[in-house]
Amino acid sequence: NYEIEVPEKLSGELRSLGLAIKSLAGRLKYLEKIRRESAADFSHELRTPLHNLKSTVEALEDGILELNAENLESINEEVDRITNLTGQLTELVELEKKLTDVNIETVDGNEYFNELLNFYVKKAENEEINYNYEVFAGLDRISLDRQAVEIILNNLITNAFKYTEAGGRVDVRVNLIDDNLRLEVEDTGIGIPEEEKDLIFERFYRTDRSRSRETGGSGLGLAITREIVAALGGDIFLEDSDKGSNFVVMLPQ
Ligand code: ADP
């Protein structure tokens, strides 16, 4: 059992140590989970392209299909799908390696987030997105794991850009609310249908809306994000938004 609670009365360095242990425990649980689930998930995802390949090749052998450009192209596409999946598996293993290094630090949140979020200004300009961020006051001493927070924000902001048309808006807000670091990424993009709001956090799930946009994507980003957030003892959810999507992450302090 990896459940660890950091006692309320701890403060200062002891509290940081407690949070580091809690985070390490969360990660162990997370790593165990990806080990258990990855093999099953990936072999499930491989099944369709392998099956398609096999039936095409058999049909060619039996002379039911002829070897023309169109059939070769469909073989090529299935091979690409398999290559793509293999690449994702490698990425997941890399991520797993990174996440074994726990590093909870006390940082000046103002400085840290302003610098981190400023990084996306150029990217926003290139994609003609109206991107703004706001780091609220009171964040001068917060505990966080830089690497984990960077992966979380990168996944959410990259998605917000990807699923928002040129001319749209992306707003990021960082705030401290009741002992929780609150990260919010709101966009005016294509949005997520109510009935798919839980599903998008599942591995490989992509909404029909996003599939039809040919933006490319693996459907892994949000699953990884949710697992990292859980490993840190936090929570991720969608808030209502007039137009587009509004992702909120809460990380305990
Ligand atoms: P992908 O690689 O497909 O972007 P993710 O796991 O990051 O994978 O996201 C899963 C799915 O959730 C996406 O395919 C898309 O359908 C939906 N999604 C994620 N972020 C947004 C967003 N900001 N706006 C609209 N849809 C989104």
Side-chain angles (χ1 to χ4, degrees):
N1 176 12
Y2 298 112
E3 298 301 327
I4 289 175
E5 280 313 316
V6 182
E8 288 287 331
K9 58 177 184 279
L10 288 186
S11 63
E13 281 167 7
L14 269 181
R15 180 160 188 84
S16 299
L17 185 65
L19 284 170
I21 295 173
K22 182 179 161 84
S23 163
L24 178 62
R27 277 165 212 242
L28 281 174
K29 188 170 154 195
Y30 164 67
L31 290 178
E32 211 177 79
K33 183 167 175 283
I34 25 185
R35 290 232 169 79
R36 218 178 323 115
E37 292 176 359
S38 292
D41 277 359
F42 279 93
S43 51
H44 180 80
E45 288 295 312
L46 278 171
R47 205 164 293 155
T48 314
L50 281 175
H51 172 84
N52 293 347
L53 263 184
K54 191 156 174 57
S55 16
T56 310
V57 171
E58 275 174 3
L60 285 168
E61 255 176 5
D62 298 345
I64 300 170
L65 273 185
E66 56 170 321
L67 192 60
N68 56 21
E70 191 189 334
N71 291 332
L72 274 176
E73 181 50 32
S74 80
I75 292 181
N76 215 352
E77 275 168 20
E78 300 301 345
V79 173
D80 284 347
R81 269 172 89 176
I82 295 170
T83 312
N84 201 354
L85 275 168
T86 323
Q88 285 162 27
L89 186 56
T90 315
E91 256 173 52
L92 208 62
V93 172
E94 286 299 313
L95 180 83
E96 186 177 332
K97 272 194 221 138
K98 279 194 207 158
L99 285 176
T100 39
D101 310 325
V102 180
N103 204 355
I104 297 271
E105 294 170 70
T106 304
V107 302
D108 177 340
N110 251 305
E111 209 175 286
Y112 170 74
F113 282 108
N114 276 303
E115 193 184 325
L116 179 64
L117 296 171
N118 187 50
F119 172 78
Y120 296 93
V121 169
K122 258 250 85 60
K123 191 173 156 63
E125 271 170 23
N126 290 339
E127 300 185 22
E128 293 172 46
I129 301 272
N130 180 359
Y131 164 69
N132 296 284
Y133 59 87
E134 204 169 351
V135 182
F136 289 86
L139 292 168
D140 35 312
R141 276 179 64 81
I142 48 167
S143 314
L144 52 77
D145 181 317
R146 288 168 188 262
Q147 195 161 39
V149 167
E150 278 158 33
I151 298 173
I152 294 168
L153 278 175
N154 188 55
N155 283 343
L156 296 181
I157 297 174
T158 313
N159 274 350
F161 285 5
K162 191 159 74 172
Y163 299 114
T164 302
E165 309 285 349
R169 236 187 114 87
V170 172
D171 284 286
V172 180
R173 283 176 283 267
V174 182
N175 213 342
L176 195 64
I177 292 181
D178 299 337
D179 261 1
N180 272 292
L181 182 63
R182 185 177 198 276
L183 313 172
E184 185 176 342
V185 179
E186 185 171 21
D187 66 53
T188 58
I190 60 172
I192 296 157
E194 192 59 43
E195 63 280 10
E196 290 182 285
K197 285 190 170 160
D198 289 332
L199 297 171
I200 54 164
F201 294 102
E202 301 286 328
R203 278 191 194 167
F204 301 113
Y205 191 86
R206 309 196 65 214
T207 64
D208 287 340
R209 283 184 198 184
S210 63
R211 279 178 202 275
S212 63
R213 276 169 58 94
E214 297 197 354
T215 44
S218 59
L220 275 179
L222 282 181
I224 289 172
T225 307
R226 183 175 63 173
E227 283 167 3
I228 296 174
V229 170
L232 295 171
D235 201 7
I236 182 167
F237 50 89
L238 276 161
E239 262 190 3
D240 286 340
S241 179
D242 299 340
K243 180 172 177 357
S245 318
N246 190 7
F247 285 86
V248 176
V249 172
M250 300 290 257
L251 297 173
Q253 277 298 288

